[in-house]
Each structure stands twice: as structure tokens, then as C-alpha cells.
Amino acid sequence: RRAEARIVWRRRGDWRALKPDSTFAYSRIVTCDWENEAQGEIHIERLNPAAERPVRRDADALLADLEGVMRFAVGNAKSLVHYVAGLRQRGAINRLELNTLAAVGAWAKQVYWRGCYDNGEDEALVVETDPPPSFKYWNLQITDEFWRSLDYFNTMSSVNDFQAWHAGNGKAYAVIANRDPGVPNWLDTGGYLRGAMLGRWNGADATPLPNVTRVKLADLRIHLPADTPEVTLAQRCEWIARMRRAQQRRFGY
């Protein structure tokens, strides 16, 4: 007997009905202010009682399910590797391309910008964007070549609209580099000189494509606004410590 299911959004007091043939649902929690925003909770609850206690599954059925989990894990890992490889094949190296991903069920009002980075030890990528007048949120994150998240507890591998320093001209600048450039919005590649980058415009009234410029670290200041402040090692360590504590509270450590 199929269990009655529904998605309840307690914050707004409404709900989302699932179709009878639904097999899964995606849910995302967006946190921009890591230190102060409360972590959302998601619970699955059966609303109608079972007519009778379920029959215990035999070993063959359990084995089939476990094999299905393994197939999913392997297939998902391969798809992510192929995804990054496809970006490189299309020439999206040290540049970004727009994609709505509407065909795979992404948020209706979310537009992605994606590409690969390829840096030398003494180089950096300057990602420059003029945020649209209206939006719900935006972010930029970097991964390794297998689309795996970097160490976001001990380095900053992402930045969002709340965290980002904005220049006096209204633009936002991120610097992707393996060494600390001494400026705000540094995305630390954590020793990976090649990887991928992904950004999002969500609920925005425009979807500009950020510009990416590959520069020498020694010449970085030439490519940044004159009002870009200096970030000292002590300031960087304090910022990362604050973000680490915020993540620990988020995961209940």
C-alpha cells in the first residue's frame, strides 16, 4: 500500500503535493550568513498508518538493494568526472558559460555559470561580475577535477553575496589562487592547480556572465579596483576560524 506523502514547508505554512507516481524529491538548504542563520531541519513522516507490519525482507532482496546503491554511487561518480571533462572539451577553461539546467529539474529561477580553472603556482584567476539589481542570492565555488568539494572547514573554497566584499564600483571580485593573494574573496584551491568552478544566480532579474582573467600573482593589484583592501595573515586566519566554528555549529560538532 502506497504511503500518503507530502512536503510541508513550515516556514510559510503551505505544502507541496506529490504525484502518485513520484519516486523522489530534491530539497536544498541555502545558508548565506553561516554564523547567524539557523540550520533547517528536514523530516520524513508517514501520515497514514500501515495496515499491517511489513514483512521482513530476505537476504536476496537486501543484496539487490545494496547492489543498486553501489551502481548509483559508481554511476554518479563517473557522471561528475565526465561533466568536468565535457567542460574542458568545450573549451570552458579559465572562462565561464551560462546554463539553466532546466532539463534536470534544477530550480526554475536559478541560472548557473560554470567552467574549469587551470592555474600556475604563481598565477591567479580574477572573476569579476556586476551583480544584477535584484536577486535572492548568488555564490561562486570551486572543486577539484572530479567535481568534489574542497576543504571548506579549513579553507575558503566558496563565496556568496552575503560574505563577499564588494568594490566601490558595485562589482564583486573573487580571486582563485593556490597562494594567499592578500585580498578579500580569495578562493583557495588547496593545492589543486586544475579544477572546476560553479556559480549561481537565484531569483535574479538578470543573469550576467562573469568575466575571468588569468594573471600573475605579482600583477594582481593591477586587475583589481584601487579600493581593494589588504587582508593580512592574521585577518585571514581569524576569518577562517569564524567560518569553521559556524560550520561546526551547523553540523552539531
Side-chain angles (χ1 to χ4, degrees), residues 186-201:
W186 171 38
L187 301 188
D188 185 353
T189 62
Y192 295 96
L193 299 181
R194 290 161 54 102
M197 44 189 172
L198 175 72
R200 299 171 177 86
W201 298 121

Side-chain angles (χ1 to χ4, degrees), residues 11 13 23 48 68 86 101 104 137 142 171 174 178 181 202 237 248:
R11 183 177 179 183
T23 57
N48 59 315
L101 295 183
V104 294
Y137 82 91
I142 57 175
K171 294 184 178 182
N178 193 48
N202 181 268
C237 291
Q248 289 172 338

Side-chain angles (χ1 to χ4, degrees), residues 125-138:
L125 293 183
V126 177
V127 183
E128 172 189 348
T129 185
D130 195 353
S134 176
F135 58 86
K136 288 185 176 180
Y137 82 91
W138 63 260

Side-chain angles (χ1 to χ4, degrees), residues 159-235:
V159 65
N160 61 51
D161 58 276
F162 180 85
Q163 299 167 337
W165 171 82
H166 292 75
N169 59 12
K171 294 184 178 182
Y173 297 80
V175 178
I176 300 174
N178 193 48
R179 289 159 43 193
D180 190 341
V183 297
N185 305 344
W186 171 38
L187 301 188
D188 185 353
T189 62
Y192 295 96
L193 299 181
R194 290 161 54 102
M197 44 189 172
L198 175 72
R200 299 171 177 86
W201 298 121
N202 181 268
D205 55 5
T207 56
L209 181 63
N211 183 61
V212 180
T213 305
R214 186 179 185 180
V215 303
K216 292 292 185 181
L217 274 173
D219 301 327
L220 177 62
R221 287 279 176 177
I222 301 174
H223 301 273
L224 295 174
D227 61 345
T228 303
E230 178 184 359
V231 177
T232 66
L233 177 60
Q235 290 172 325

